[in-house]
Amino acid sequence: MARRVVGEGEAGSKTRRRRRAAEEVAHQARADRLQGATGALSTAATAAMDEKLPWFRQLSAQDRSWIGLVAQSGITAFVDWFHDPDAHSSMPTRMFGSAPREFTRVISLHQTVDLVRTTIEMIENTIGDILPPDDVPVVREAIHRYAREVAFAAATVYAQAAEMRGAWDARLEALVVDSVIRGEADESVRSRASALGWTGSSMGPHASGQGSSQVAVVVGRAPDSDSGNTNVADAVRHAARQHGVDALCAMQGDRLVIVLGGTNKPVEIVQKLADRFGPGPIVVGPVVKDLMSAVTSARAAVAGLRAAPAWPDAPRPVQADELLPERSLSGDGHARRQLAADVYGPLTIGDGVLLDTVSRYLNTGGSIEATAREMFIHPNTVRYRLRRAGEITGYSPTNPRDAFTLRVALALGRLLAPDTTSPVL
């Protein structure tokens, strides 16, 4: 009895092996027939794309050639995969390798999906005419499995292309911002900025009017290292667009630099972006007319960031021009000349009585009565002159912060007089 059971088992095993061998022979014969139909399928695929896809007909001959090459590669890859799916498991992903890098720039992902769909439909409709009826169901089922893998492969290709473009855009953006900071902005920088979507104009709520092209540079500390640089830049650009302005963003060591375009109220914009910076001061440079002039704003913002620790109670953000005394003390020659020319200079106009009044007021510790006694004038005359000095300089002597600025400006003006535009110290 045991001998008969063993014999039946061996017979069943031999039958299964013969059946598998027959199936393999039939599969290889089917694959060979499919291999012979590759040329006809490739020709039919190109014809189907030309007939059903209007955008395909509008492409140049070279672009159509690239796409036809990809379609042909996909059909050939399908045949190889059909021969032995295990040996060619990566074939769907590799089918796009025959296309140049520009392929992803020629057609969109949506158009690629249309291309794959059209090719698959063409194969399904054609195999019945070029293959025996028994082959059609098996090949059709294989096509459906393969099409799914091709769809994932296409998504991978476009995702990689998007990552490469994102990395390149980030490097290009950093180059533009660096050129602005170093004062090397020229037509090439403007062209590169345009490639990044920079228009320099805005009709948002913070624009000054039609064709607004004001630019301001903002500098602050970089966020913590665990906040991805790319994510910070993307968040800044997105937030700026929400407020109707352009933004270029770059990390430079331990500082974050933002170039805002299309607004004459950059402080209001930066107040909404303050959480993107690290702890510490945020300095907004003065508004300039365009990107080519942005070095002036950048220079003031960088100098302001360096000098900001001298004013612990400064607002956040703070304008660079509000830090003129601190900047001048930290060695910023531009701030020194600005204080001497724009604050000290107007006080010297005429008989210099305003300069004398402000100087005596500051030297008496801010006492109007003491100033009046020293100058032998009425206290109301002192008040009038102080008010007039505030109007022409923008700094009121009766305000403690403004008084500090005026004191520094008077000292610098006397050092630089009579030529307030000469090189400083």
Side-chain angles (χ1 to χ4, degrees), residues 106-185:
V106 173
I107 63 175
S108 65
L109 177 59
H110 177 73
Q111 290 172 329
T112 302
V113 172
D114 286 342
L115 186 151
V116 173
R117 183 186 296 113
T118 300
T119 303
I120 297 300
E121 290 176 353
M122 178 278 305
I123 294 176
E124 289 182 331
N125 296 332
T126 305
I127 56 176
D129 299 329
I130 60 178
L131 295 178
D134 293 344
D135 293 350
V136 173
V138 178
V139 174
R140 185 166 290 162
E141 180 182 355
I143 288 174
H144 291 163
R145 291 173 52 198
Y146 189 77
R148 181 186 62 188
E149 300 301 325
V150 169
F152 285 119
T156 300
V157 168
Y158 279 84
Q160 292 173 345
E163 289 179 359
M164 292 178 63
R165 284 196 297 272
W168 170 252
D169 286 350
R171 290 193 293 269
L172 183 61
E173 186 172 14
L175 178 62
V176 171
V177 173
D178 183 64
S179 298
V180 169
I181 292 292
R182 291 189 287 115
E184 298 178 357

Side-chain angles (χ1 to χ4, degrees), residues 1-8:
M1 177 67 68
R3 191 177 299 129
R4 187 165 69 178
V5 171
V6 172
E8 289 178 354

Side-chain angles (χ1 to χ4, degrees), residues 47-338:
M49 288 186 291
D50 189 64
E51 176 184 356
K52 297 182 178 181
L53 303 176
W55 56 263
F56 181 79
R57 296 191 296 271
Q58 298 173 2
L59 297 176
S60 65
Q62 184 180 26
D63 293 341
R64 289 198 302 272
S65 175
W66 287 345
I67 295 174
L69 183 64
V70 173
Q72 182 178 356
S73 173
I75 294 173
T76 302
F78 167 66
V79 174
D80 293 339
W81 176 84
F82 187 79
H83 266 286
D84 190 351
D86 295 332
H88 299 86
S89 59
S90 64
M91 193 63 73
T93 303
R94 291 161 47 197
M95 65 167 286
F96 290 97
S98 60
R101 182 178 298 177
E102 290 80 2
F103 176 80
T104 56
R105 300 181 182 271
V106 173
I107 63 175
S108 65
L109 177 59
H110 177 73
Q111 290 172 329
T112 302
V113 172
D114 286 342
L115 186 151
V116 173
R117 183 186 296 113
T118 300
T119 303
I120 297 300
E121 290 176 353
M122 178 278 305
I123 294 176
E124 289 182 331
N125 296 332
T126 305
I127 56 176
D129 299 329
I130 60 178
L131 295 178
D134 293 344
D135 293 350
V136 173
V138 178
V139 174
R140 185 166 290 162
E141 180 182 355
I143 288 174
H144 291 163
R145 291 173 52 198
Y146 189 77
R148 181 186 62 188
E149 300 301 325
V150 169
F152 285 119
T156 300
V157 168
Y158 279 84
Q160 292 173 345
E163 289 179 359
M164 292 178 63
R165 284 196 297 272
W168 170 252
D169 286 350
R171 290 193 293 269
L172 183 61
E173 186 172 14
L175 178 62
V176 171
V177 173
D178 183 64
S179 298
V180 169
I181 292 292
R182 291 189 287 115
E184 298 178 357
D186 53 18
E187 288 299 330
S188 63
V189 171
R190 178 181 292 176
S191 175
R192 290 167 182 163
S194 298
L196 294 168
W198 173 275
T199 63
S201 61
S202 171
M203 288 306 295
H206 301 283
S208 62
Q210 183 69 31
S212 172
S213 59
Q214 290 92 341
V215 175
V217 177
V218 184
V219 183
R221 298 303 175 192
D224 296 336
S225 58
D226 56 356
S227 301
N229 292 359
T230 301
N231 294 336
V232 171
D234 289 343
V236 167
R237 285 191 295 270
H238 178 71
R241 282 195 299 269
Q242 286 184 323
H243 295 93
V245 299
D246 283 333
L248 297 173
C249 180
M251 295 285 191
Q252 293 187 337
D254 62 347
R255 68 187 183 192
L256 172 62
V257 181
I258 301 175
V259 182
L260 294 176
T263 176
N264 62 350
K265 299 178 180 178
V267 174
E268 295 184 16
I269 299 295
V270 177
Q271 287 173 344
K272 299 176 175 62
L273 303 177
D275 59 340
R276 305 299 178 185
F277 289 85
I282 303 172
V283 183
V284 182
V287 175
V288 295
K289 62 180 181 178
D290 56 25
L291 192 63
M292 310 291 282
S293 308
V295 61
T296 303
S297 181
R299 185 171 54 225
V302 172
L305 184 66
R306 184 173 60 247
W311 186 14
D313 297 328
R316 188 176 189 265
V318 60
Q319 296 187 63
D321 285 352
E322 295 182 64
L323 290 163
L324 283 175
E326 288 79 11
R327 287 167 53 192
S328 65
L329 293 174
S330 68
D332 182 3
H334 296 281
R336 292 175 178 177
R337 287 189 289 272
Q338 186 173 344

